[in-house]
Amino acid sequence: ATANDIRTDVFCSAMNLDNQSLAAIGTSNLTSRLTNDVGEMSLGLRLFGADLMREPLKEFLCIVAAFIFNWRLTLVGILVLPLIGLLFHRSGRALRKTARQTLETMSNIYHCISEAFDSVRIVIAFGGQHHHRRQLQKANQEYYERSQKVVRVSALIRPVTELLGMVAFISILIPGAYMVLNETNQIAGVQLAARPLQMAELATLCALLAGV
């Protein structure tokens, strides 16, 4: 329903433009915006919409609960969070740029197709089939390369994020295990718990941070 509303709004906005503006945009670009672009956006909403709402809320609640449970050890673990934030910022910017370029290459495909069929008689009369086929092959190759770049960037985000999360987990597990084994609440004179840490407390804290 959201995609249909957006498609309708884009169409109505295009219909309100003057002839010069419509000519500058081009039929192929408008067709691409109304079909492929809206379709890609709809797919993105279905795939990531729920996660974008659910995951940050879950992580926030887990961190708050961990802070309440033991704010000192939790603070040690979340020192890696700025690195995760930087990763998402850079990868998000790269994804937006690459996705925009991918949509532009799809517009080139529409342009090649519409240009060939709009003047199909002239193309056939002057033997331009090979020229238009090469144009379409080039546009398809550009679209494929851009799409693969989006896939590579997306595939890289998850393992790097999981690695940073593992680093955060280990940074809590190692000092926590040391305090449990030595029945203390500090390491090298630095207090990391209100009282000597117990195994059950460390397991609870690790379980909370594992949900981040």
Side-chain angles (χ1 to χ4, degrees):
T2 302
N4 290 337
D5 291 340
I6 293 175
R7 185 179 290 109
T8 301
D9 290 340
V10 173
F11 178 79
C12 292
S13 298
M15 294 300 293
N16 290 327
L17 296 174
D18 56 83
N19 292 334
Q20 186 176 1
S21 298
L22 287 173
I25 296 173
T27 303
S28 58
N29 281 332
L30 286 174
T31 304
S32 176
R33 299 294 182 266
L34 290 169
T35 55
N36 181 74
D37 292 14
V38 175
E40 292 289 337
M41 184 195 64
S42 177
L43 178 62
L45 288 174
R46 288 197 301 270
L47 291 176
F48 302 112
D51 289 340
L52 289 175
M53 295 297 294
R54 182 179 62 248
E55 293 300 321
L57 179 60
K58 183 194 73 173
E59 293 174 5
F60 174 75
L61 292 176
C62 287
I63 290 176
V64 169
F67 259 104
I68 294 174
F69 194 78
N70 188 325
W71 67 268
R72 297 177 180 86
L73 267 180
T74 302
L75 188 62
V76 172
I78 66 172
L79 289 177
V80 75
L81 288 183
L83 293 177
I84 297 177
L86 180 62
L87 168 68
F88 276 108
H89 173 71
R90 290 185 176 275
S91 59
R93 186 168 58 184
L95 275 176
R96 287 193 300 271
K97 180 180 179 180
T98 306
R100 183 173 62 252
Q101 292 172 342
T102 302
L103 295 177
E104 290 173 355
T105 55
M106 175 55 71
S107 177
N108 292 337
I109 294 176
Y110 277 92
H111 176 71
C112 292
I113 295 173
S114 63
E115 184 181 46
F117 285 110
D118 287 345
S119 55
V120 64
R121 292 183 179 180
I122 299 176
V123 171
I124 294 175
F126 289 91
Q129 298 95 323
H130 296 294
H131 170 71
H132 286 281
R133 183 168 64 245
R134 286 194 301 269
Q135 279 189 326
L136 183 60
Q137 288 174 342
K138 180 181 178 182
N140 278 330
Q141 184 63 29
E142 289 179 351
Y143 178 76
Y144 173 78
E145 291 173 357
R146 298 295 183 184
S147 299
Q148 289 300 110
K149 187 174 181 180
V150 172
V151 172
R152 287 195 298 269
V153 173
S154 300
L156 182 64
I157 293 174
R158 185 175 183 87
V160 173
T161 303
E162 291 179 350
L163 177 62
L164 292 175
M166 188 178 299
V167 171
F169 184 81
I170 293 175
S171 66
I172 289 178
L173 180 61
I174 292 177
Y178 173 86
M179 289 190 292
V180 169
L181 293 175
N182 290 276
E183 297 182 351
T184 182
N185 65 340
Q186 59 183 2
I187 296 177
V190 179
Q191 184 177 348
L192 295 176
R195 59 181 182 277
L197 196 64
Q198 303 297 315
M199 178 61 73
E201 296 173 335
L202 177 60
T204 301
L205 183 61
C206 289
L208 288 172
L209 292 175
V212 175

